[in-house]
Amino acid sequence: LVTAGPTYEPIDPVRFIGNHSSGKMGIALARELQQRGADVTLVLGPVRQEVNPEGLTLKKVTTAAEMYEAALAAFEEADLAIMAAAVADYSPLQKATEKIKKKEENLAIELGKTKDILKSLGGQKRTGQVLVGFALETNNEKENALDKLARKNADLIVLNSMNDPGAGFGHDTNKITIFDKSGQEFAFGTRHKNEVAKDIVDTIIRLYYA
Ligand code: CTP
């Protein structure tokens, strides 16, 4: 199971809260796993890139709530789950049924927390299921990544730093460090996301399936 891309949280029929995730990292991971012979379910948020559904189960979703439902359903039968999606942490509590008109000088939109998919899967993980999360941090990177690993009961966390040029959102390249629960750390140089996907899959296989 791989989640990828952003989520869009509707404000009214024509507006949403989203983010700049291109989905490239998660799509590259799904392809890499597919090429290694895995049966892959890709739960994909709204992205520009066309994904050829041949050879994988593609579930297209829009909101964090839809991604949660699709990921939970697919996790049941999954051996490995990689949560590469940039899921909205908050979503508007009310979706206006009609387009919001420009009347008031200020407009407040109340947001509520979305369900944390990675944390939910971590909570119901069975022995033998491997769970991998991503972290995008701007400060105290290692500390925050390790905290996320523990808090969400993941087996591995892939850190991409916003401080590295050529890494993260929208770029074709990424620079990652993988942390595991025992405190091991695997650092890689800036590489194309297809190569980064290979590094991640190689690391998972070496640690859990070799
Ligand atoms: N994630 C998820 N569901 C959410 C939010 C995040 O599955 N609703 C997953 C992402 O796919 C990614 C990891 O959790 O694998 C990233 O977590 P992040 O949002 O950075 O962590 P938070 O706990 O929200 O911490 P922060 O305060 O840094 O936002």
Side-chain angles (χ1 to χ4, degrees):
L1 164 66
V2 180
T3 66
T7 64
Y8 286 178
E9 309 305 318
I11 296 169
D12 70 13
V14 293
R15 304 183 178 98
F16 59 85
I17 297 174
N19 63 68
H20 290 299
S21 169
S22 63
K24 284 175 184 168
M25 192 62 251
I27 293 167
L29 276 163
R31 287 276 171 242
E32 185 59 32
L33 290 163
Q34 186 190 350
Q35 277 165 23
R36 310 253 188 140
D39 287 328
V40 180
T41 297
L42 174 61
V43 178
L44 182 63
V47 293
R48 283 199 196 160
Q49 192 177 333
E50 268 305 320
V51 176
N52 181 357
E54 215 169 293
L56 49 83
T57 305
L58 180 63
K59 303 239 185 261
K60 287 192 178 180
V61 297
T62 304
T63 64
E66 288 168 8
M67 189 173 275
Y68 175 85
E69 294 300 331
L72 243 74
F75 188 58
E76 195 60 28
E77 296 200 350
D79 301 303
L80 167 68
I82 308 181
M83 306 285 97
V87 189
D89 287 331
Y90 291 90
S91 179
L93 286 175
Q94 309 280 353
K95 180 191 162 188
T97 50
E98 284 162 9
K99 188 181 167 211
I100 297 170
K101 300 298 284 177
K102 186 172 47 185
K103 282 188 293 213
E104 313 297 337
E105 206 44 46
N106 299 308
L107 174 71
I109 298 169
E110 202 179 350
L111 306 177
K113 254 192 194 164
T114 58
K115 286 186 190 155
D116 192 315
I117 303 165
L118 176 59
K119 199 172 170 187
S120 302
L121 299 191
Q124 63 176 67
K125 186 162 57 108
R126 296 188 307 266
T127 312
Q129 283 185 309
V130 177
L131 183 60
V132 182
F134 270 73
L136 183 70
E137 307 292 343
T138 53
N139 56 299
N140 297 335
E141 298 174 314
K142 183 175 175 176
E143 193 187 326
N144 283 331
L146 289 175
D147 175 61
K148 226 157 258 185
L149 178 73
R151 218 167 7 97
K152 304 197 186 198
N153 194 31
D155 297 291
L156 295 175
I157 206 103
V158 181
L159 169 71
N160 32 114
S161 166
M162 287 289 276
N163 299 326
D164 286 312
F169 275 10
H171 291 281
D172 283 331
T173 53
N174 204 1
K175 184 171 187 294
I176 59 150
T177 307
I178 302 176
F179 298 91
D180 78 357
K181 279 192 288 202
S182 68
Q184 292 190 91
E185 185 174 328
F186 311 94
F188 302 88
T190 304
R191 285 150 75 64
H192 192 277
K193 283 181 175 170
N194 294 340
E195 301 301 316
V196 175
K198 285 199 177 83
D199 292 336
I200 293 171
V201 174
D202 283 340
T203 305
I204 293 168
I205 289 172
R206 192 156 37 81
L207 292 175
Y208 299 101
Y209 299 102

PDB file of all heavy atoms in Angstrom, residues 8 14 17 31 39 44 75-76 78 81-82 94 98 100 113 125-126 128 130-131 134 165 174 178 185 199:
ATOM      1  N   TYR A   8      -7.235  17.626  -1.009  1.00  0.00           N
ATOM      2  CA  TYR A   8      -7.937  18.907  -1.151  1.00  0.00           C
ATOM      3  C   TYR A   8      -9.120  18.897  -0.199  1.00  0.00           C
ATOM      4  O   TYR A   8      -9.940  17.980  -0.244  1.00  0.00           O
ATOM      5  CB  TYR A   8      -8.475  19.081  -2.580  1.00  0.00           C
ATOM      6  CG  TYR A   8      -7.453  19.387  -3.647  1.00  0.00           C
ATOM      7  CD1 TYR A   8      -7.859  19.518  -4.980  1.00  0.00           C
ATOM      8  CD2 TYR A   8      -6.104  19.562  -3.351  1.00  0.00           C
ATOM      9  CE1 TYR A   8      -6.952  19.809  -5.987  1.00  0.00           C
ATOM     10  CE2 TYR A   8      -5.194  19.848  -4.352  1.00  0.00           C
ATOM     11  CZ  TYR A   8      -5.609  19.971  -5.675  1.00  0.00           C
ATOM     12  OH  TYR A   8      -4.720  20.246  -6.669  1.00  0.00           O
ATOM     13  N   VAL A  14     -16.314  25.654  -5.132  1.00  0.00           N
ATOM     14  CA  VAL A  14     -15.242  26.001  -6.084  1.00  0.00           C
ATOM     15  C   VAL A  14     -13.875  26.200  -5.426  1.00  0.00           C
ATOM     16  O   VAL A  14     -12.880  26.433  -6.114  1.00  0.00           O
ATOM     17  CB  VAL A  14     -15.602  27.274  -6.892  1.00  0.00           C
ATOM     18  CG1 VAL A  14     -16.783  26.994  -7.804  1.00  0.00           C
ATOM     19  CG2 VAL A  14     -15.853  28.460  -5.992  1.00  0.00           C
ATOM     20  N   ILE A  17      -8.682  23.898   0.385  1.00  0.00           N
ATOM     21  CA  ILE A  17      -7.367  24.063   1.000  1.00  0.00           C
ATOM     22  C   ILE A  17      -6.531  22.873   0.538  1.00  0.00           C
ATOM     23  O   ILE A  17      -6.944  21.718   0.671  1.00  0.00           O
ATOM     24  CB  ILE A  17      -7.455  24.063   2.541  1.00  0.00           C
ATOM     25  CG1 ILE A  17      -8.292  25.252   3.010  1.00  0.00           C
ATOM     26  CG2 ILE A  17      -6.053  24.106   3.157  1.00  0.00           C
ATOM     27  CD1 ILE A  17      -8.552  25.253   4.506  1.00  0.00           C
ATOM     28  N   ARG A  31       5.681   2.447  -8.370  1.00  0.00           N
ATOM     29  CA  ARG A  31       6.254   1.832  -9.582  1.00  0.00           C
ATOM     30  C   ARG A  31       7.418   0.904  -9.247  1.00  0.00           C
ATOM     31  O   ARG A  31       7.550  -0.188  -9.792  1.00  0.00           O
ATOM     32  CB  ARG A  31       6.769   2.917 -10.536  1.00  0.00           C
ATOM     33  CG  ARG A  31       5.683   3.664 -11.223  1.00  0.00           C
ATOM     34  CD  ARG A  31       5.198   2.920 -12.467  1.00  0.00           C
ATOM     35  NE  ARG A  31       4.008   3.551 -12.991  1.00  0.00           N
ATOM     36  CZ  ARG A  31       2.812   2.977 -13.094  1.00  0.00           C
ATOM     37  NH1 ARG A  31       2.631   1.728 -12.728  1.00  0.00           N
ATOM     38  NH2 ARG A  31       1.789   3.629 -13.575  1.00  0.00           N
ATOM     39  N   ASP A  39       2.231  -6.696  -5.386  1.00  0.00           N
ATOM     40  CA  ASP A  39       0.871  -6.273  -5.767  1.00  0.00           C
ATOM     41  C   ASP A  39       0.633  -4.939  -5.070  1.00  0.00           C
ATOM     42  O   ASP A  39       0.526  -4.897  -3.852  1.00  0.00           O
ATOM     43  CB  ASP A  39      -0.181  -7.277  -5.265  1.00  0.00           C
ATOM     44  CG  ASP A  39      -0.152  -8.564  -6.060  1.00  0.00           C
ATOM     45  OD1 ASP A  39       0.172  -8.497  -7.255  1.00  0.00           O
ATOM     46  OD2 ASP A  39      -0.436  -9.624  -5.474  1.00  0.00           O
ATOM     47  N   LEU A  44      -4.178   7.651  -4.250  1.00  0.00           N
ATOM     48  CA  LEU A  44      -3.569   8.860  -4.820  1.00  0.00           C
ATOM     49  C   LEU A  44      -4.489  10.064  -4.714  1.00  0.00           C
ATOM     50  O   LEU A  44      -5.630  10.029  -5.181  1.00  0.00           O
ATOM     51  CB  LEU A  44      -3.233   8.567  -6.296  1.00  0.00           C
ATOM     52  CG  LEU A  44      -2.540   9.640  -7.105  1.00  0.00           C
ATOM     53  CD1 LEU A  44      -1.156   9.952  -6.544  1.00  0.00           C
ATOM     54  CD2 LEU A  44      -2.419   9.206  -8.574  1.00  0.00           C
ATOM     55  N   PHE A  75      -5.161  -1.571   3.896  1.00  0.00           N
ATOM     56  CA  PHE A  75      -4.140  -1.996   4.860  1.00  0.00           C
ATOM     57  C   PHE A  75      -4.407  -3.399   5.389  1.00  0.00           C
ATOM     58  O   PHE A  75      -3.473  -4.149   5.712  1.00  0.00           O
ATOM     59  CB  PHE A  75      -4.078  -1.006   6.025  1.00  0.00           C
ATOM     60  CG  PHE A  75      -2.926  -1.244   6.977  1.00  0.00           C
ATOM     61  CD1 PHE A  75      -1.615  -1.245   6.525  1.00  0.00           C
ATOM     62  CD2 PHE A  75      -3.164  -1.451   8.330  1.00  0.00           C
ATOM     63  CE1 PHE A  75      -0.551  -1.458   7.402  1.00  0.00           C
ATOM     64  CE2 PHE A  75      -2.103  -1.662   9.217  1.00  0.00           C
ATOM     65  CZ  PHE A  75      -0.800  -1.667   8.747  1.00  0.00           C
ATOM     66  N   GLU A  76      -5.673  -3.729   5.454  1.00  0.00           N
ATOM     67  CA  GLU A  76      -6.105  -5.040   5.941  1.00  0.00           C
ATOM     68  C   GLU A  76      -5.242  -6.170   5.358  1.00  0.00           C
ATOM     69  O   GLU A  76      -4.786  -7.040   6.072  1.00  0.00           O
ATOM     70  CB  GLU A  76      -7.582  -5.202   5.533  1.00  0.00           C
ATOM     71  CG  GLU A  76      -8.356  -6.291   6.206  1.00  0.00           C
ATOM     72  CD  GLU A  76      -8.423  -6.151   7.723  1.00  0.00           C
ATOM     73  OE1 GLU A  76      -8.346  -5.008   8.264  1.00  0.00           O
ATOM     74  OE2 GLU A  76      -8.517  -7.193   8.343  1.00  0.00           O
ATOM     75  N   ALA A  78      -2.396  -5.738   3.503  1.00  0.00           N
ATOM     76  CA  ALA A  78      -1.071  -5.269   3.081  1.00  0.00           C
ATOM     77  C   ALA A  78       0.038  -5.844   3.962  1.00  0.00           C
ATOM     78  O   ALA A  78      -0.129  -6.006   5.166  1.00  0.00           O
ATOM     79  CB  ALA A  78      -1.026  -3.747   3.129  1.00  0.00           C
ATOM     80  N   ALA A  81       3.182  -0.880   4.114  1.00  0.00           N
ATOM     81  CA  ALA A  81       2.455   0.354   3.809  1.00  0.00           C
ATOM     82  C   ALA A  81       3.412   1.534   3.893  1.00  0.00           C
ATOM     83  O   ALA A  81       4.117   1.693   4.894  1.00  0.00           O
ATOM     84  CB  ALA A  81       1.294   0.536   4.775  1.00  0.00           C
ATOM     85  N   ILE A  82       3.457   2.324   2.832  1.00  0.00           N
ATOM     86  CA  ILE A  82       4.316   3.509   2.804  1.00  0.00           C
ATOM     87  C   ILE A  82       3.428   4.736   2.635  1.00  0.00           C
ATOM     88  O   ILE A  82       2.736   4.883   1.628  1.00  0.00           O
ATOM     89  CB  ILE A  82       5.345   3.444   1.648  1.00  0.00           C
ATOM     90  CG1 ILE A  82       6.120   2.126   1.684  1.00  0.00           C
ATOM     91  CG2 ILE A  82       6.295   4.633   1.727  1.00  0.00           C
ATOM     92  CD1 ILE A  82       7.180   1.990   0.593  1.00  0.00           C
ATOM     93  N   GLN A  94     -17.161  23.225   8.110  1.00  0.00           N
ATOM     94  CA  GLN A  94     -18.367  23.363   7.292  1.00  0.00           C
ATOM     95  C   GLN A  94     -17.949  23.547   5.846  1.00  0.00           C
ATOM     96  O   GLN A  94     -17.075  24.357   5.563  1.00  0.00           O
ATOM     97  CB  GLN A  94     -19.145  24.638   7.686  1.00  0.00           C
ATOM     98  CG  GLN A  94     -19.421  24.787   9.167  1.00  0.00           C
ATOM     99  CD  GLN A  94     -20.604  23.952   9.605  1.00  0.00           C
ATOM    100  OE1 GLN A  94     -21.302  23.363   8.781  1.00  0.00           O
ATOM    101  NE2 GLN A  94     -20.827  23.882  10.909  1.00  0.00           N
ATOM    102  N   GLU A  98     -23.088  26.736  -1.245  1.00  0.00           N
ATOM    103  CA  GLU A  98     -23.003  27.669  -2.369  1.00  0.00           C
ATOM    104  C   GLU A  98     -21.706  28.452  -2.283  1.00  0.00           C
ATOM    105  O   GLU A  98     -21.115  28.578  -1.217  1.00  0.00           O
ATOM    106  CB  GLU A  98     -24.192  28.633  -2.327  1.00  0.00           C
ATOM    107  CG  GLU A  98     -25.454  27.948  -2.799  1.00  0.00           C
ATOM    108  CD  GLU A  98     -26.719  28.682  -2.395  1.00  0.00           C
ATOM    109  OE1 GLU A  98     -26.617  29.817  -1.888  1.00  0.00           O
ATOM    110  OE2 GLU A  98     -27.793  28.102  -2.589  1.00  0.00           O
ATOM    111  N   ILE A 100     -19.066  31.052  -1.634  1.00  0.00           N
ATOM    112  CA  ILE A 100     -19.042  32.120  -0.629  1.00  0.00           C
ATOM    113  C   ILE A 100     -18.863  33.459  -1.337  1.00  0.00           C
ATOM    114  O   ILE A 100     -17.939  33.630  -2.143  1.00  0.00           O
ATOM    115  CB  ILE A 100     -17.909  31.879   0.399  1.00  0.00           C
ATOM    116  CG1 ILE A 100     -18.163  30.570   1.162  1.00  0.00           C
ATOM    117  CG2 ILE A 100     -17.785  33.057   1.356  1.00  0.00           C
ATOM    118  CD1 ILE A 100     -17.006  30.106   2.033  1.00  0.00           C
ATOM    119  N   LYS A 113      -9.259  19.048  13.001  1.00  0.00           N
ATOM    120  CA  LYS A 113      -8.196  18.083  12.690  1.00  0.00           C
ATOM    121  C   LYS A 113      -8.728  16.938  11.834  1.00  0.00           C
ATOM    122  O   LYS A 113      -9.828  16.446  12.073  1.00  0.00           O
ATOM    123  CB  LYS A 113      -7.661  17.487  13.996  1.00  0.00           C
ATOM    124  CG  LYS A 113      -6.314  18.017  14.386  1.00  0.00           C
ATOM    125  CD  LYS A 113      -5.719  17.184  15.509  1.00  0.00           C
ATOM    126  CE  LYS A 113      -4.544  17.913  16.117  1.00  0.00           C
ATOM    127  NZ  LYS A 113      -4.169  17.350  17.412  1.00  0.00           N
ATOM    128  N   LYS A 125      -1.541  -2.062  13.461  1.00  0.00           N
ATOM    129  CA  LYS A 125      -0.531  -2.865  12.768  1.00  0.00           C
ATOM    130  C   LYS A 125      -0.398  -4.251  13.402  1.00  0.00           C
ATOM    131  O   LYS A 125      -0.318  -4.375  14.613  1.00  0.00           O
ATOM    132  CB  LYS A 125       0.801  -2.104  12.864  1.00  0.00           C
ATOM    133  CG  LYS A 125       1.947  -2.676  12.110  1.00  0.00           C
ATOM    134  CD  LYS A 125       3.026  -1.621  11.930  1.00  0.00           C
ATOM    135  CE  LYS A 125       3.522  -1.047  13.245  1.00  0.00           C
ATOM    136  NZ  LYS A 125       4.877  -1.484  13.604  1.00  0.00           N
ATOM    137  N   ARG A 126      -0.378  -5.295  12.538  1.00  0.00           N
ATOM    138  CA  ARG A 126      -0.179  -6.658  13.034  1.00  0.00           C
ATOM    139  C   ARG A 126       1.289  -7.039  12.919  1.00  0.00           C
ATOM    140  O   ARG A 126       2.037  -6.425  12.170  1.00  0.00           O
ATOM    141  CB  ARG A 126      -1.000  -7.645  12.197  1.00  0.00           C
ATOM    142  CG  ARG A 126      -2.488  -7.472  12.267  1.00  0.00           C
ATOM    143  CD  ARG A 126      -3.183  -8.631  11.549  1.00  0.00           C
ATOM    144  NE  ARG A 126      -2.679  -8.806  10.191  1.00  0.00           N
ATOM    145  CZ  ARG A 126      -3.227  -8.266   9.105  1.00  0.00           C
ATOM    146  NH1 ARG A 126      -4.301  -7.517   9.223  1.00  0.00           N
ATOM    147  NH2 ARG A 126      -2.714  -8.472   7.905  1.00  0.00           N
ATOM    148  N   GLY A 128       4.425  -8.498  11.579  1.00  0.00           N
ATOM    149  CA  GLY A 128       4.785  -8.813  10.201  1.00  0.00           C
ATOM    150  C   GLY A 128       4.437  -7.703   9.222  1.00  0.00           C
ATOM    151  O   GLY A 128       4.981  -7.654   8.127  1.00  0.00           O
ATOM    152  N   VAL A 130       4.791  -4.050   7.861  1.00  0.00           N
ATOM    153  CA  VAL A 130       5.819  -3.002   7.959  1.00  0.00           C
ATOM    154  C   VAL A 130       5.188  -1.669   7.559  1.00  0.00           C
ATOM    155  O   VAL A 130       4.545  -1.563   6.520  1.00  0.00           O
ATOM    156  CB  VAL A 130       7.023  -3.334   7.054  1.00  0.00           C
ATOM    157  CG1 VAL A 130       8.052  -2.209   7.089  1.00  0.00           C
ATOM    158  CG2 VAL A 130       7.677  -4.655   7.481  1.00  0.00           C
ATOM    159  N   LEU A 131       5.392  -0.669   8.403  1.00  0.00           N
ATOM    160  CA  LEU A 131       4.762   0.642   8.197  1.00  0.00           C
ATOM    161  C   LEU A 131       5.827   1.727   8.094  1.00  0.00           C
ATOM    162  O   LEU A 131       6.675   1.863   8.973  1.00  0.00           O
ATOM    163  CB  LEU A 131       3.805   0.926   9.362  1.00  0.00           C
ATOM    164  CG  LEU A 131       2.996   2.207   9.330  1.00  0.00           C
ATOM    165  CD1 LEU A 131       2.096   2.280   8.093  1.00  0.00           C
ATOM    166  CD2 LEU A 131       2.139   2.314  10.593  1.00  0.00           C
ATOM    167  N   PHE A 134       6.588   9.316   6.258  1.00  0.00           N
ATOM    168  CA  PHE A 134       7.458  10.379   5.770  1.00  0.00           C
ATOM    169  C   PHE A 134       7.403  11.556   6.737  1.00  0.00           C
ATOM    170  O   PHE A 134       6.395  11.772   7.407  1.00  0.00           O
ATOM    171  CB  PHE A 134       7.006  10.858   4.382  1.00  0.00           C
ATOM    172  CG  PHE A 134       7.654  10.102   3.255  1.00  0.00           C
ATOM    173  CD1 PHE A 134       7.264   8.800   2.982  1.00  0.00           C
ATOM    174  CD2 PHE A 134       8.642  10.680   2.474  1.00  0.00           C
ATOM    175  CE1 PHE A 134       7.855   8.088   1.951  1.00  0.00           C
ATOM    176  CE2 PHE A 134       9.246   9.982   1.442  1.00  0.00           C
ATOM    177  CZ  PHE A 134       8.854   8.688   1.172  1.00  0.00           C
ATOM    178  N   PRO A 165      18.527  22.170  -0.801  1.00  0.00           N
ATOM    179  CA  PRO A 165      18.093  22.591  -2.124  1.00  0.00           C
ATOM    180  C   PRO A 165      17.834  21.368  -2.991  1.00  0.00           C
ATOM    181  O   PRO A 165      18.567  20.387  -2.912  1.00  0.00           O
ATOM    182  CB  PRO A 165      19.276  23.417  -2.653  1.00  0.00           C
ATOM    183  CG  PRO A 165      20.444  23.071  -1.798  1.00  0.00           C
ATOM    184  CD  PRO A 165      19.918  22.549  -0.503  1.00  0.00           C
ATOM    185  N   ASN A 174      15.207  14.447  -4.672  1.00  0.00           N
ATOM    186  CA  ASN A 174      14.931  14.440  -3.238  1.00  0.00           C
ATOM    187  C   ASN A 174      16.206  14.033  -2.503  1.00  0.00           C
ATOM    188  O   ASN A 174      17.075  13.361  -3.071  1.00  0.00           O
ATOM    189  CB  ASN A 174      13.805  13.457  -2.925  1.00  0.00           C
ATOM    190  CG  ASN A 174      13.073  13.792  -1.635  1.00  0.00           C
ATOM    191  OD1 ASN A 174      13.403  14.778  -0.977  1.00  0.00           O
ATOM    192  ND2 ASN A 174      12.097  12.976  -1.285  1.00  0.00           N
ATOM    193  N   ILE A 178      16.798   7.916   6.283  1.00  0.00           N
ATOM    194  CA  ILE A 178      15.822   6.967   6.832  1.00  0.00           C
ATOM    195  C   ILE A 178      16.231   6.621   8.265  1.00  0.00           C
ATOM    196  O   ILE A 178      17.395   6.310   8.520  1.00  0.00           O
ATOM    197  CB  ILE A 178      15.758   5.679   5.974  1.00  0.00           C
ATOM    198  CG1 ILE A 178      15.400   6.019   4.521  1.00  0.00           C
ATOM    199  CG2 ILE A 178      14.754   4.683   6.552  1.00  0.00           C
ATOM    200  CD1 ILE A 178      15.419   4.818   3.574  1.00  0.00           C
ATOM    201  N   GLU A 185      20.426   4.921  11.261  1.00  0.00           N
ATOM    202  CA  GLU A 185      20.178   6.075  10.400  1.00  0.00           C
ATOM    203  C   GLU A 185      20.855   5.825   9.062  1.00  0.00           C
ATOM    204  O   GLU A 185      22.013   5.426   9.035  1.00  0.00           O
ATOM    205  CB  GLU A 185      20.799   7.269  11.135  1.00  0.00           C
ATOM    206  CG  GLU A 185      20.597   8.580  10.526  1.00  0.00           C
ATOM    207  CD  GLU A 185      21.144   9.689  11.434  1.00  0.00           C
ATOM    208  OE1 GLU A 185      21.129   9.569  12.677  1.00  0.00           O
ATOM    209  OE2 GLU A 185      21.595  10.685  10.858  1.00  0.00           O
ATOM    210  N   ASP A 199      16.324   3.411  -3.392  1.00  0.00           N
ATOM    211  CA  ASP A 199      17.034   3.415  -2.097  1.00  0.00           C
ATOM    212  C   ASP A 199      16.092   3.028  -0.960  1.00  0.00           C
ATOM    213  O   ASP A 199      16.454   2.255  -0.074  1.00  0.00           O
ATOM    214  CB  ASP A 199      17.623   4.808  -1.806  1.00  0.00           C
ATOM    215  CG  ASP A 199      18.754   5.175  -2.759  1.00  0.00           C
ATOM    216  OD1 ASP A 199      19.386   4.257  -3.311  1.00  0.00           O
ATOM    217  OD2 ASP A 199      19.004   6.388  -2.944  1.00  0.00           O
TER     218      ASP A 199
END
